[in-house]
Amino acid sequence: MTVAMPYTALQQLMLRQQAATVRWPFVANRCDQRHCQRKQAVCQAGSNGKRDLTAVVVGSGFSGLYAAAGLSSRFAQVTLLDKDDFGDAVNVKKASDPEVWREQYEAATNRRRGVSQYKQPHIMFKKGLELMEELFPGYKQKLSWAGALEIDQIRDIYFSNWGKDWLPGTASGLPSLAASRHLYECVLRKFVLGISNLDVQTGALVDGLVYDAHQERVTGLHLKNGQTLNADLVIDASGKASNISKWLEGIGHRHPSEWSVNAGLKYAYRMYEMTEDADRDWLLAMCMDYPQGSRVGMMIPIETNKWQVNLAGYPGHQCPLDEEGFLEFAQNLPNPLIWQTLLRAKPVSSISAYSGTDNFRRLFETAPPPSGLCVLGDAVCYFNPVNGQGMTVGMMGSNLLCQCIDKLLEGCTADGSKQQQLAALDSLPTQFHTELGALLNYPWSVAAGADAMKSGAKANMPQQESTLMTKLMSDYFLALQKAQFDDAYIMRKSLAVMHMMEPSDTLYKPDVAGRVLWHVMKHTLRLGHQQQPAVTR
């Protein structure tokens, strides 16, 4: 889910410290020829003998699939492990039949119990789609063919917050594709399973690490079925349920410090058929109740003309799971749009709850894993999913891993010995996790920073001292959140940062800050101020 959350004093200090240095690793546009070359390199990886190395990746979520594919063009052989069984991919022809699609979706949900939030709504950020298209040319087209909907979070959204409404209007230039996680993952898996030097083992449970104490290096994995897998590089991308701390303790290696923040947000979730309103000009609806910030309602479109509806609340404001209570919660949101729409829509699932909305981070940048081991995705850091960052940040981490490997192997010739290649990668865990920690700072501040300020939140992380500067920065971002409803330029810039297509300091720059200050002055002095219920942009 993608929600523009207000910034807190804690976030301001972290953002200010990072603003001068944090830059998202942008993905440049490529022509079709470069795409074809990249696709050929991935599919034929290993056949040219460029690297005489092997890798094993634990976990086949987005981070794991992306990392496995990226490593396949750099290593001779890659093995992908997952404890779930995901043998069948979505049938694009049959997916157009709502009943068949529903059967596939429910079956996949039951099989992928190892993936948290599998049934919950997802919108992949623009940055994530660009990374996908870079590694898997044609991914966006295949996703669209399978039923994903193009969505623009300015053009296609009805967004209500701060007592103001944003109606659909002009395009943002940051289109994305809305789909269920099931569809995102199945289309991606089809690309990955077509890679010739990549093997997949499902139903694989890892028991621990194989460790060479003499070389001080991880050299593989022990599986619970008694099998031992040897590898030159082990990647843990096994998600929130990762046992990496236990595995590190098992080889006598210090595991990193951990931060956690849980504000107690809970979802009530249900799926509906889309209504056929001739006058409806929006696809996505969001309603929030800031400045209280206690309740959120969201309607996210997915394939086969369905809405995934989430009604979420913090303690004391959580949505009931019965029919009457669910609708009453929607009715009591500040804007009645979602409630009015649900009254006309046909529900096609039961109401279910989800409470895994905590934020968690392992600080591997301060205690890197031993040589031969790196950790990715939710196994390193996961966020309150209401912020919608998880998939994209996970793939950015996997992409960063490949970039670090390229840098370290740059001096090794194609015919260099395996020992030379391994020696070049000795510092990979330290270098990668140092850079990954910097990448994670901003999305962590957005998610955990906001939740840490909630009343009753349980936080295990350093608390920043409130100063005049943090107060001023907090006030600035609250003003920005309000101003974007009256200024399409600010809204587009905020969306670009949220989609990770522009650096985090974009919102500090004069073009944005000047507009925010003008908005504050205009409304403070009531210059030309007229209260209007909603304006189409």
Side-chain angles (χ1 to χ4, degrees):
M1 242 64 37
T2 52
V3 176
M5 304 292 283
Y7 293 77
T8 65
L10 173 62
Q11 290 174 267
Q12 311 325 317
L13 183 59
M14 296 184 72
L15 286 172
R16 187 166 176 269
Q17 292 171 339
Q18 299 154 18
T21 57
V22 175
R23 295 291 188 275
W24 299 118
F26 299 117
V27 178
N29 293 327
R30 309 292 189 189
C31 64
D32 291 340
Q33 182 179 2
R34 291 290 301 276
H35 274 167
C36 292
Q37 291 172 348
R38 175 62 183 145
K39 183 175 182 180
Q40 183 179 15
V42 171
C43 294
Q44 296 180 352
S47 61
N48 58 11
K50 182 179 180 182
R51 304 296 179 201
D52 189 23
L53 299 172
T54 61
V56 59
V57 178
V58 184
S60 65
F62 289 98
S63 298
L65 289 169
Y66 193 98
L71 290 172
S72 71
S73 63
R74 294 160 172 84
F75 286 18
Q77 184 64 40
V78 177
T79 301
L80 179 63
L81 307 179
D82 200 279
K83 62 182 179 182
D84 292 337
D85 178 15
F86 50 79
D88 63 327
V90 65
N91 186 316
V92 175
K93 293 182 179 179
K94 291 184 179 180
S96 59
D97 183 329
E99 293 301 322
V100 173
W101 176 89
R102 191 176 302 126
E103 292 176 3
Q104 291 180 339
Y105 179 81
E106 292 299 329
T109 299
N110 290 332
R111 286 194 303 273
R112 296 293 279 145
R113 293 187 183 277
V115 179
S116 62
Q117 214 202 359
Y118 191 87
K119 293 175 66 174
Q120 304 304 311
H122 292 73
I123 294 180
M124 189 176 292
F125 284 173
K126 176 70 171 177
K127 178 65 176 182
L129 282 174
E130 292 297 323
L131 286 172
M132 283 291 197
E133 193 68 20
E134 177 75 6
L135 188 59
F136 307 105
Y139 176 79
K140 291 190 288 187
Q141 185 179 58
K142 294 286 188 182
L143 196 61
S144 295
W145 286 349
L149 304 175
E150 181 176 292
I151 188 167
D152 185 304
Q153 287 176 271
I154 287 182
R155 182 191 63 201
D156 302 320
I157 191 172
Y158 193 113
F159 184 21
S160 180
N161 198 10
W162 296 101
K164 298 183 178 183
D165 297 333
W166 178 280
L167 297 184
T170 58
S172 67
L174 296 167
S176 186
L177 290 171
S180 65
R181 166 140 188 170
H182 170 60
L183 192 64
Y184 281 127
E185 196 175 278
C186 285
V187 173
L188 173 59
R189 191 177 298 121
K190 280 189 172 183
F191 279 93
V192 174
L193 295 182
I195 298 174
S196 61
N197 65 321
L198 192 152
D199 293 331
V200 178
Q201 292 188 30
T202 59
L205 299 175
V206 177
D207 196 38
L209 301 168
V210 180
Y211 184 69
D212 186 326
H214 177 68
Q215 297 186 34
E216 297 182 331
R217 184 181 193 89
V218 171
T219 59
L221 292 169
H222 296 296
L223 303 188
K224 290 192 175 181
N225 64 3
Q227 182 183 5
T228 296
L229 290 177
N230 295 317
D232 300 309
L233 179 62
V234 173
I235 304 297
D236 178 23
S238 57
K240 295 176 72 171
S242 170
N243 288 315
I244 186 63
S245 294
K246 178 182 176 181
W247 298 346
L248 289 172
E249 288 178 355
I251 62 172
H253 191 88
R254 180 169 66 98
H255 63 80
S257 301
E258 298 172 353
W259 288 354
S260 61
V261 179
N262 190 348
L265 182 72
K266 289 188 178 180
Y267 290 171
Y269 159 84
R270 197 175 202 184
M271 195 179 302
Y272 287 81
E273 295 279 2
M274 281 188 181
T275 58
E276 297 182 358
D277 303 330
D279 59 345
R280 177 171 57 80
D281 59 355
W282 54 270
L283 290 172
L284 167 68
M286 293 187 182
C287 182
M288 306 170 73
D289 67 347
Y290 283 97
Q292 292 81 11
S294 58
R295 295 172 297 158
V296 181
M298 294 167 270
M299 300 183 70
I300 310 295
I302 61 170
E303 64 271 18
T304 68
N305 295 317
K306 294 189 175 57
W307 274 312
Q308 291 181 316
V309 178
N310 267 23
L311 302 180
Y314 288 92
H317 304 276
Q318 292 164 348
C319 182
L321 300 180
D322 61 282
E323 180 88 21
E324 182 179 354
F326 189 83
L327 291 175
E328 183 179 357
F329 184 98
Q331 183 179 9
N332 290 331
L333 290 169
N335 186 293
L337 177 73
I338 291 178
W339 172 64
Q340 292 170 349
T341 305
L342 294 185
L343 291 178
R344 302 191 304 272
K346 176 186 175 182
V348 292
S349 76
S350 59
I351 301 170
S352 57
Y354 181 76
S355 58
T357 60
D358 55 322
N359 307 273
F360 179 82
R361 181 173 178 179
R362 291 185 172 98
L363 302 175
F364 279 109
E365 60 267 39
T366 63
S371 295
L373 174 65
C374 290
V375 189
L376 288 174
D378 285 3
V380 176
C381 183
Y382 54 83
F383 316 99
N384 183 340
V386 75
N387 295 282
Q389 306 172 109
M391 293 190 297
T392 298
V393 173
M395 288 185 291
M396 290 171 70
S398 298
N399 184 59
L400 176 63
L401 174 70
C402 294
Q403 292 176 352
C404 288
I405 290 173
D406 288 343
K407 290 177 184 177
L408 292 173
L409 292 178
E410 193 172 17
C412 293
T413 60
D415 58 351
S417 71
K418 183 174 181 177
Q419 290 304 315
Q420 289 176 324
Q421 296 169 22
L422 287 174
L425 293 179
D426 276 344
S427 62
L428 175 64
T430 298
Q431 179 171 325
F432 166 66
H433 281 286
T434 297
E435 296 187 30
L436 181 63
L439 185 153
L440 292 173
N441 281 337
Y442 175 72
W444 174 262
S445 71
V446 170
D451 280 357
M453 301 301 291
K454 292 291 183 182
S455 177
K458 298 177 180 179
N460 174 31
M461 61 180 287
Q463 297 299 307
Q464 298 289 345
E465 181 182 355
S466 180
T467 65
L468 176 60
M469 180 57 70
T470 60
K471 177 66 168 60
L472 289 174
M473 296 303 294
S474 180
D475 289 346
Y476 170 78
F477 275 95
L478 289 177
L480 183 146
Q481 292 289 314
K482 298 175 184 178
Q484 65 185 356
F485 282 88
D486 297 320
D487 190 320
Y489 184 85
I490 298 176
M491 182 68 86
R492 284 195 294 271
K493 286 294 184 179
S494 296
L495 188 66
V497 173
M498 185 176 72
H499 276 255
M500 303 178 185
M501 296 301 293
E502 293 197 26
S504 58
D505 64 349
T506 294
L507 302 181
Y508 292 89
K509 292 182 177 179
D511 58 331
V512 176
R515 288 173 177 265
V516 173
L517 294 176
W518 169 245
H519 182 272
V520 171
M521 291 174 57
K522 182 173 66 173
H523 285 261
T524 300
L525 300 175
R526 316 293 289 183
L527 298 176
H529 175 71
Q530 292 183 344
Q531 184 68 31
Q532 297 195 11
V535 179
T536 301
R537 307 298 175 187

